mmCIF file with all atom_site columns, all heavy atoms in Angstrom:
data_model
loop_
_atom_site.group_PDB
_atom_site.id
_atom_site.type_symbol
_atom_site.label_atom_id
_atom_site.label_alt_id
_atom_site.label_comp_id
_atom_site.label_asym_id
_atom_site.label_entity_id
_atom_site.label_seq_id
_atom_site.pdbx_PDB_ins_code
_atom_site.Cartn_x
_atom_site.Cartn_y
_atom_site.Cartn_z
_atom_site.occupancy
_atom_site.B_iso_or_equiv
_atom_site.pdbx_formal_charge
_atom_site.auth_seq_id
_atom_site.auth_comp_id
_atom_site.auth_asym_id
_atom_site.auth_atom_id
_atom_site.pdbx_PDB_model_num
ATOM 1   N N   . GLN A 1 252 ? 89.576  95.465  72.036 1.00 0.00 ? 252 GLN A N   1
ATOM 2   C CA  . GLN A 1 252 ? 90.175  96.686  71.403 1.00 0.00 ? 252 GLN A CA  1
ATOM 3   C C   . GLN A 1 252 ? 89.264  97.866  71.464 1.00 0.00 ? 252 GLN A C   1
ATOM 4   O O   . GLN A 1 252 ? 89.733  99.022  71.767 1.00 0.00 ? 252 GLN A O   1
ATOM 5   C CB  . GLN A 1 252 ? 90.636  96.428  70.002 1.00 0.00 ? 252 GLN A CB  1
ATOM 6   C CG  . GLN A 1 252 ? 91.786  95.517  69.827 1.00 0.00 ? 252 GLN A CG  1
ATOM 7   C CD  . GLN A 1 252 ? 93.076  96.132  70.418 1.00 0.00 ? 252 GLN A CD  1
ATOM 8   O OE1 . GLN A 1 252 ? 93.302  97.340  70.394 1.00 0.00 ? 252 GLN A OE1 1
ATOM 9   N NE2 . GLN A 1 252 ? 93.951  95.284  70.959 1.00 0.00 ? 252 GLN A NE2 1
ATOM 10  N N   . SER A 1 256 ? 90.094  101.427 73.455 1.00 0.00 ? 256 SER A N   1
ATOM 11  C CA  . SER A 1 256 ? 90.173  102.606 72.729 1.00 0.00 ? 256 SER A CA  1
ATOM 12  C C   . SER A 1 256 ? 89.112  103.714 73.285 1.00 0.00 ? 256 SER A C   1
ATOM 13  O O   . SER A 1 256 ? 89.417  104.859 73.471 1.00 0.00 ? 256 SER A O   1
ATOM 14  C CB  . SER A 1 256 ? 89.881  102.485 71.248 1.00 0.00 ? 256 SER A CB  1
ATOM 15  O OG  . SER A 1 256 ? 91.131  102.053 70.653 1.00 0.00 ? 256 SER A OG  1
ATOM 16  N N   . LYS A 1 265 ? 95.156  109.689 73.766 1.00 0.00 ? 265 LYS A N   1
ATOM 17  C CA  . LYS A 1 265 ? 94.964  109.254 72.346 1.00 0.00 ? 265 LYS A CA  1
ATOM 18  C C   . LYS A 1 265 ? 95.569  107.914 72.163 1.00 0.00 ? 265 LYS A C   1
ATOM 19  O O   . LYS A 1 265 ? 96.828  107.687 72.371 1.00 0.00 ? 265 LYS A O   1
ATOM 20  C CB  . LYS A 1 265 ? 95.703  110.352 71.498 1.00 0.00 ? 265 LYS A CB  1
ATOM 21  C CG  . LYS A 1 265 ? 95.944  109.938 70.056 1.00 0.00 ? 265 LYS A CG  1
ATOM 22  C CD  . LYS A 1 265 ? 94.706  109.848 69.183 1.00 0.00 ? 265 LYS A CD  1
ATOM 23  C CE  . LYS A 1 265 ? 95.033  109.337 67.806 1.00 0.00 ? 265 LYS A CE  1
ATOM 24  N NZ  . LYS A 1 265 ? 94.106  108.344 67.299 1.00 0.00 ? 265 LYS A NZ  1
ATOM 25  N N   . PRO A 1 266 ? 94.811  106.905 71.671 1.00 0.00 ? 266 PRO A N   1
ATOM 26  C CA  . PRO A 1 266 ? 95.411  105.689 71.170 1.00 0.00 ? 266 PRO A CA  1
ATOM 27  C C   . PRO A 1 266 ? 96.346  105.912 70.071 1.00 0.00 ? 266 PRO A C   1
ATOM 28  O O   . PRO A 1 266 ? 95.906  106.372 69.002 1.00 0.00 ? 266 PRO A O   1
ATOM 29  C CB  . PRO A 1 266 ? 94.229  104.808 70.790 1.00 0.00 ? 266 PRO A CB  1
ATOM 30  C CG  . PRO A 1 266 ? 92.970  105.408 71.408 1.00 0.00 ? 266 PRO A CG  1
ATOM 31  C CD  . PRO A 1 266 ? 93.381  106.909 71.466 1.00 0.00 ? 266 PRO A CD  1
ATOM 32  N N   . TYR A 1 267 ? 97.659  105.735 70.273 1.00 0.00 ? 267 TYR A N   1
ATOM 33  C CA  . TYR A 1 267 ? 98.594  106.158 69.271 1.00 0.00 ? 267 TYR A CA  1
ATOM 34  C C   . TYR A 1 267 ? 99.066  104.952 68.466 1.00 0.00 ? 267 TYR A C   1
ATOM 35  O O   . TYR A 1 267 ? 98.969  105.029 67.169 1.00 0.00 ? 267 TYR A O   1
ATOM 36  C CB  . TYR A 1 267 ? 99.863  106.778 70.080 1.00 0.00 ? 267 TYR A CB  1
ATOM 37  C CG  . TYR A 1 267 ? 101.022 107.212 69.289 1.00 0.00 ? 267 TYR A CG  1
ATOM 38  C CD1 . TYR A 1 267 ? 100.891 107.848 68.049 1.00 0.00 ? 267 TYR A CD1 1
ATOM 39  C CD2 . TYR A 1 267 ? 102.288 107.073 69.854 1.00 0.00 ? 267 TYR A CD2 1
ATOM 40  C CE1 . TYR A 1 267 ? 102.053 108.306 67.360 1.00 0.00 ? 267 TYR A CE1 1
ATOM 41  C CE2 . TYR A 1 267 ? 103.363 107.457 69.103 1.00 0.00 ? 267 TYR A CE2 1
ATOM 42  C CZ  . TYR A 1 267 ? 103.284 108.136 67.916 1.00 0.00 ? 267 TYR A CZ  1
ATOM 43  O OH  . TYR A 1 267 ? 104.392 108.511 67.307 1.00 0.00 ? 267 TYR A OH  1
ATOM 44  N N   . TYR A 1 268 ? 99.594  103.986 69.066 1.00 0.00 ? 268 TYR A N   1
ATOM 45  C CA  . TYR A 1 268 ? 99.979  102.760 68.306 1.00 0.00 ? 268 TYR A CA  1
ATOM 46  C C   . TYR A 1 268 ? 99.383  101.498 68.919 1.00 0.00 ? 268 TYR A C   1
ATOM 47  O O   . TYR A 1 268 ? 99.269  101.367 70.156 1.00 0.00 ? 268 TYR A O   1
ATOM 48  C CB  . TYR A 1 268 ? 101.570 102.585 68.353 1.00 0.00 ? 268 TYR A CB  1
ATOM 49  C CG  . TYR A 1 268 ? 102.281 103.265 67.134 1.00 0.00 ? 268 TYR A CG  1
ATOM 50  C CD1 . TYR A 1 268 ? 103.054 104.392 67.323 1.00 0.00 ? 268 TYR A CD1 1
ATOM 51  C CD2 . TYR A 1 268 ? 102.085 102.736 65.878 1.00 0.00 ? 268 TYR A CD2 1
ATOM 52  C CE1 . TYR A 1 268 ? 103.672 104.963 66.227 1.00 0.00 ? 268 TYR A CE1 1
ATOM 53  C CE2 . TYR A 1 268 ? 102.701 103.344 64.798 1.00 0.00 ? 268 TYR A CE2 1
ATOM 54  C CZ  . TYR A 1 268 ? 103.556 104.411 64.963 1.00 0.00 ? 268 TYR A CZ  1
ATOM 55  O OH  . TYR A 1 268 ? 104.151 104.920 63.857 1.00 0.00 ? 268 TYR A OH  1
ATOM 56  N N   . LEU A 1 269 ? 99.209  100.535 68.032 1.00 0.00 ? 269 LEU A N   1
ATOM 57  C CA  . LEU A 1 269 ? 98.988  99.141  68.529 1.00 0.00 ? 269 LEU A CA  1
ATOM 58  C C   . LEU A 1 269 ? 100.064 98.368  67.833 1.00 0.00 ? 269 LEU A C   1
ATOM 59  O O   . LEU A 1 269 ? 100.273 98.487  66.649 1.00 0.00 ? 269 LEU A O   1
ATOM 60  C CB  . LEU A 1 269 ? 97.622  98.596  67.988 1.00 0.00 ? 269 LEU A CB  1
ATOM 61  C CG  . LEU A 1 269 ? 97.367  97.095  68.293 1.00 0.00 ? 269 LEU A CG  1
ATOM 62  C CD1 . LEU A 1 269 ? 97.273  96.869  69.746 1.00 0.00 ? 269 LEU A CD1 1
ATOM 63  C CD2 . LEU A 1 269 ? 95.984  96.759  67.513 1.00 0.00 ? 269 LEU A CD2 1
ATOM 64  N N   . TYR A 1 292 ? 92.585  94.085  62.918 1.00 0.00 ? 292 TYR A N   1
ATOM 65  C CA  . TYR A 1 292 ? 92.873  95.519  62.801 1.00 0.00 ? 292 TYR A CA  1
ATOM 66  C C   . TYR A 1 292 ? 91.917  96.130  61.701 1.00 0.00 ? 292 TYR A C   1
ATOM 67  O O   . TYR A 1 292 ? 91.357  97.229  61.832 1.00 0.00 ? 292 TYR A O   1
ATOM 68  C CB  . TYR A 1 292 ? 94.328  95.867  62.573 1.00 0.00 ? 292 TYR A CB  1
ATOM 69  C CG  . TYR A 1 292 ? 94.483  97.438  62.551 1.00 0.00 ? 292 TYR A CG  1
ATOM 70  C CD1 . TYR A 1 292 ? 94.630  98.066  63.679 1.00 0.00 ? 292 TYR A CD1 1
ATOM 71  C CD2 . TYR A 1 292 ? 94.589  98.045  61.310 1.00 0.00 ? 292 TYR A CD2 1
ATOM 72  C CE1 . TYR A 1 292 ? 94.758  99.523  63.658 1.00 0.00 ? 292 TYR A CE1 1
ATOM 73  C CE2 . TYR A 1 292 ? 94.729  99.388  61.286 1.00 0.00 ? 292 TYR A CE2 1
ATOM 74  C CZ  . TYR A 1 292 ? 94.828  100.156 62.412 1.00 0.00 ? 292 TYR A CZ  1
ATOM 75  O OH  . TYR A 1 292 ? 94.982  101.471 62.436 1.00 0.00 ? 292 TYR A OH  1
ATOM 76  N N   . LEU A 1 295 ? 88.599  96.516  63.122 1.00 0.00 ? 295 LEU A N   1
ATOM 77  C CA  . LEU A 1 295 ? 88.591  97.649  64.110 1.00 0.00 ? 295 LEU A CA  1
ATOM 78  C C   . LEU A 1 295 ? 88.578  98.989  63.389 1.00 0.00 ? 295 LEU A C   1
ATOM 79  O O   . LEU A 1 295 ? 87.871  99.894  63.720 1.00 0.00 ? 295 LEU A O   1
ATOM 80  C CB  . LEU A 1 295 ? 89.901  97.594  65.016 1.00 0.00 ? 295 LEU A CB  1
ATOM 81  C CG  . LEU A 1 295 ? 90.009  98.552  66.158 1.00 0.00 ? 295 LEU A CG  1
ATOM 82  C CD1 . LEU A 1 295 ? 88.925  98.270  67.198 1.00 0.00 ? 295 LEU A CD1 1
ATOM 83  C CD2 . LEU A 1 295 ? 91.373  98.517  66.703 1.00 0.00 ? 295 LEU A CD2 1
ATOM 84  N N   . ILE A 1 299 ? 85.560  101.949 64.387 1.00 0.00 ? 299 ILE A N   1
ATOM 85  C CA  . ILE A 1 299 ? 85.652  103.041 65.367 1.00 0.00 ? 299 ILE A CA  1
ATOM 86  C C   . ILE A 1 299 ? 86.176  104.290 64.697 1.00 0.00 ? 299 ILE A C   1
ATOM 87  O O   . ILE A 1 299 ? 86.737  104.214 63.492 1.00 0.00 ? 299 ILE A O   1
ATOM 88  C CB  . ILE A 1 299 ? 86.547  102.710 66.525 1.00 0.00 ? 299 ILE A CB  1
ATOM 89  C CG1 . ILE A 1 299 ? 87.989  102.333 66.109 1.00 0.00 ? 299 ILE A CG1 1
ATOM 90  C CG2 . ILE A 1 299 ? 85.904  101.643 67.461 1.00 0.00 ? 299 ILE A CG2 1
ATOM 91  C CD1 . ILE A 1 299 ? 88.936  102.069 67.295 1.00 0.00 ? 299 ILE A CD1 1
ATOM 92  N N   . ALA A 1 303 ? 89.727  107.324 67.913 1.00 0.00 ? 303 ALA A N   1
ATOM 93  C CA  . ALA A 1 303 ? 89.951  106.154 68.774 1.00 0.00 ? 303 ALA A CA  1
ATOM 94  C C   . ALA A 1 303 ? 90.799  105.065 68.210 1.00 0.00 ? 303 ALA A C   1
ATOM 95  O O   . ALA A 1 303 ? 91.153  104.126 68.922 1.00 0.00 ? 303 ALA A O   1
ATOM 96  C CB  . ALA A 1 303 ? 88.512  105.456 68.976 1.00 0.00 ? 303 ALA A CB  1
ATOM 97  N N   . LEU A 1 304 ? 91.121  105.272 66.857 1.00 0.00 ? 304 LEU A N   1
ATOM 98  C CA  . LEU A 1 304 ? 91.898  104.154 66.160 1.00 0.00 ? 304 LEU A CA  1
ATOM 99  C C   . LEU A 1 304 ? 93.397  104.363 66.360 1.00 0.00 ? 304 LEU A C   1
ATOM 100 O O   . LEU A 1 304 ? 93.910  105.475 65.847 1.00 0.00 ? 304 LEU A O   1
ATOM 101 C CB  . LEU A 1 304 ? 91.488  104.139 64.754 1.00 0.00 ? 304 LEU A CB  1
ATOM 102 C CG  . LEU A 1 304 ? 92.206  103.043 63.836 1.00 0.00 ? 304 LEU A CG  1
ATOM 103 C CD1 . LEU A 1 304 ? 91.624  101.686 64.258 1.00 0.00 ? 304 LEU A CD1 1
ATOM 104 C CD2 . LEU A 1 304 ? 91.908  103.285 62.353 1.00 0.00 ? 304 LEU A CD2 1
ATOM 105 N N   . PRO A 1 305 ? 94.173  103.419 66.945 1.00 0.00 ? 305 PRO A N   1
ATOM 106 C CA  . PRO A 1 305 ? 95.603  103.545 66.893 1.00 0.00 ? 305 PRO A CA  1
ATOM 107 C C   . PRO A 1 305 ? 96.146  103.177 65.552 1.00 0.00 ? 305 PRO A C   1
ATOM 108 O O   . PRO A 1 305 ? 95.462  102.509 64.779 1.00 0.00 ? 305 PRO A O   1
ATOM 109 C CB  . PRO A 1 305 ? 95.964  102.525 68.007 1.00 0.00 ? 305 PRO A CB  1
ATOM 110 C CG  . PRO A 1 305 ? 94.981  101.442 67.960 1.00 0.00 ? 305 PRO A CG  1
ATOM 111 C CD  . PRO A 1 305 ? 93.623  102.158 67.613 1.00 0.00 ? 305 PRO A CD  1
ATOM 112 N N   . ARG A 1 306 ? 97.362  103.551 65.305 1.00 0.00 ? 306 ARG A N   1
ATOM 113 C CA  . ARG A 1 306 ? 98.066  102.964 64.114 1.00 0.00 ? 306 ARG A CA  1
ATOM 114 C C   . ARG A 1 306 ? 98.521  101.561 64.424 1.00 0.00 ? 306 ARG A C   1
ATOM 115 O O   . ARG A 1 306 ? 98.728  101.282 65.609 1.00 0.00 ? 306 ARG A O   1
ATOM 116 C CB  . ARG A 1 306 ? 99.258  103.861 63.821 1.00 0.00 ? 306 ARG A CB  1
ATOM 117 C CG  . ARG A 1 306 ? 99.014  105.339 63.579 1.00 0.00 ? 306 ARG A CG  1
ATOM 118 C CD  . ARG A 1 306 ? 100.104 106.021 62.845 1.00 0.00 ? 306 ARG A CD  1
ATOM 119 N NE  . ARG A 1 306 ? 99.940  105.664 61.458 1.00 0.00 ? 306 ARG A NE  1
ATOM 120 C CZ  . ARG A 1 306 ? 100.800 106.014 60.438 1.00 0.00 ? 306 ARG A CZ  1
ATOM 121 N NH1 . ARG A 1 306 ? 101.834 106.816 60.726 1.00 0.00 ? 306 ARG A NH1 1
ATOM 122 N NH2 . ARG A 1 306 ? 100.668 105.624 59.212 1.00 0.00 ? 306 ARG A NH2 1
ATOM 123 N N   . PHE A 1 307 ? 98.598  100.741 63.421 1.00 0.00 ? 307 PHE A N   1
ATOM 124 C CA  . PHE A 1 307 ? 98.998  99.376  63.719 1.00 0.00 ? 307 PHE A CA  1
ATOM 125 C C   . PHE A 1 307 ? 100.377 99.094  63.027 1.00 0.00 ? 307 PHE A C   1
ATOM 126 O O   . PHE A 1 307 ? 100.569 99.489  61.839 1.00 0.00 ? 307 PHE A O   1
ATOM 127 C CB  . PHE A 1 307 ? 97.953  98.400  63.110 1.00 0.00 ? 307 PHE A CB  1
ATOM 128 C CG  . PHE A 1 307 ? 98.247  96.963  63.413 1.00 0.00 ? 307 PHE A CG  1
ATOM 129 C CD1 . PHE A 1 307 ? 98.735  96.566  64.611 1.00 0.00 ? 307 PHE A CD1 1
ATOM 130 C CD2 . PHE A 1 307 ? 97.860  95.997  62.466 1.00 0.00 ? 307 PHE A CD2 1
ATOM 131 C CE1 . PHE A 1 307 ? 98.983  95.181  64.934 1.00 0.00 ? 307 PHE A CE1 1
ATOM 132 C CE2 . PHE A 1 307 ? 98.082  94.668  62.708 1.00 0.00 ? 307 PHE A CE2 1
ATOM 133 C CZ  . PHE A 1 307 ? 98.553  94.216  63.924 1.00 0.00 ? 307 PHE A CZ  1
ATOM 134 N N   . GLU A 1 321 ? 98.757  99.547  58.399 1.00 0.00 ? 321 GLU A N   1
ATOM 135 C CA  . GLU A 1 321 ? 97.476  99.957  57.877 1.00 0.00 ? 321 GLU A CA  1
ATOM 136 C C   . GLU A 1 321 ? 97.608  100.441 56.479 1.00 0.00 ? 321 GLU A C   1
ATOM 137 O O   . GLU A 1 321 ? 96.594  100.561 55.787 1.00 0.00 ? 321 GLU A O   1
ATOM 138 C CB  . GLU A 1 321 ? 96.813  100.984 58.839 1.00 0.00 ? 321 GLU A CB  1
ATOM 139 C CG  . GLU A 1 321 ? 97.360  102.359 58.791 1.00 0.00 ? 321 GLU A CG  1
ATOM 140 C CD  . GLU A 1 321 ? 98.317  102.573 59.870 1.00 0.00 ? 321 GLU A CD  1
ATOM 141 O OE1 . GLU A 1 321 ? 99.049  101.683 60.290 1.00 0.00 ? 321 GLU A OE1 1
ATOM 142 O OE2 . GLU A 1 321 ? 98.412  103.714 60.383 1.00 0.00 ? 321 GLU A OE2 1
#
Side-chain angles (χ1 to χ4, degrees):
Q252 286 295 327
S256 278
K265 165 70 186 138
Y267 178 38
Y268 267 112
L269 174 65
Y292 183 79
L295 186 69
I299 59 174
L304 184 69
R306 305 201 74 182
F307 186 35
E321 74 263 36

